[in-house]
Amino acid sequence: MDRRDIEEVLPHRDAMLIPDRIIEVSALEFAVGVKTITSDEPCFCPVGRADDRPTDYPVSLMVEFLGQVAAVLCIVSFSELGPRSNLLPIFASASGVKLGRLPRVGETLIGTAWISRRLDTVVAVTGQVSVDGDIIMDAERALIAFKQSARPAVLSGGTPSLGSEAPRERKAR
């Protein structure tokens, strides 16, 4: 699955759609996603001088990457939850996360998620993120919950349509 295929399954878009590709999915078992870290990532926006730019990829985005790979796995595996286009995955929690090292610009992350248990609309997964065959993050358990959600239609300009309802004014406190 390339990014366009992933966008058909997940509601995420740039800059929060993290996997570049899903290279393998075995329904009810596992999925493998790929993310190449570039210096153009939004998390590397310059804050001060050019030499102050970070080069380590944030842990929070590695956890989110693994969650998105797991969400794709679950949506592909459990079609009886509803049409793919109406499923909203919610990354509920991650526990037992162990970090080896932070990946750097130029490295490619390989994220693998395995289904360990399903309880109705909540799926428990385990997962790992590796670089060059070395495991750099391990998650003992992550929970992905799903709910039905009518996604807003997208207008030709790429802007979500919220229907004919006018935006509500914000009340001053």
Side-chain angles (χ1 to χ4, degrees), residues 58-120:
V59 174
S60 59
L61 293 180
M62 284 198 309
V63 172
E64 179 66 23
F65 166 62
L66 190 56
Q68 290 180 21
V69 172
V72 168
L73 168 62
C74 294
I75 290 171
V76 168
S77 296
F78 303 117
S79 59
E80 75 275 5
L81 291 175
R84 287 183 186 181
S85 61
N86 290 343
L87 281 179
L88 179 64
I90 301 165
F91 188 35
S93 71
S95 61
V97 176
K98 297 178 185 110
L99 183 66
R101 69 168 180 87
L102 294 175
R104 301 181 69 81
V105 170
E107 293 185 316
T108 299
L109 305 177
I110 304 294
T112 307
W114 295 270
I115 292 175
S116 56
R117 189 168 186 198
R118 176 180 170 205
L119 301 167
D120 195 28

Side-chain angles (χ1 to χ4, degrees), residues 10-158:
L10 296 180
H12 303 70
R13 298 295 178 265
D14 280 334
M16 281 308 298
L17 181 62
I18 298 177
D20 296 328
R21 297 180 318 284
I22 302 293
I23 58 173
E24 189 173 359
V25 177
S26 179
L28 302 173
E29 292 182 39
F30 70 94
V32 180
V34 176
K35 167 68 179 165
T36 299
I37 302 169
T38 68
S39 60
D40 296 334
E41 304 288 339
C43 61
F44 297 135
C45 290
V47 177
R49 300 184 325 264
D51 59 347
D52 287 342
R53 291 183 73 180
T55 57
D56 293 336
Y57 198 65
V59 174
S60 59
L61 293 180
M62 284 198 309
V63 172
E64 179 66 23
F65 166 62
L66 190 56
Q68 290 180 21
V69 172
V72 168
L73 168 62
C74 294
I75 290 171
V76 168
S77 296
F78 303 117
S79 59
E80 75 275 5
L81 291 175
R84 287 183 186 181
S85 61
N86 290 343
L87 281 179
L88 179 64
I90 301 165
F91 188 35
S93 71
S95 61
V97 176
K98 297 178 185 110
L99 183 66
R101 69 168 180 87
L102 294 175
R104 301 181 69 81
V105 170
E107 293 185 316
T108 299
L109 305 177
I110 304 294
T112 307
W114 295 270
I115 292 175
S116 56
R117 189 168 186 198
R118 176 180 170 205
L119 301 167
D120 195 28
T121 60
V122 177
V123 181
V125 297
T126 60
Q128 294 177 336
V129 176
S130 62
V131 171
D132 295 328
D134 295 326
I135 297 170
I136 62 168
M137 190 185 81
D138 186 56
E140 288 179 12
R141 176 170 298 180
L143 298 177
I144 311 290
F146 292 91
K147 73 177 218 171
Q148 290 290 331
S149 174
R151 292 190 189 166
V154 176
L155 302 174
S156 60

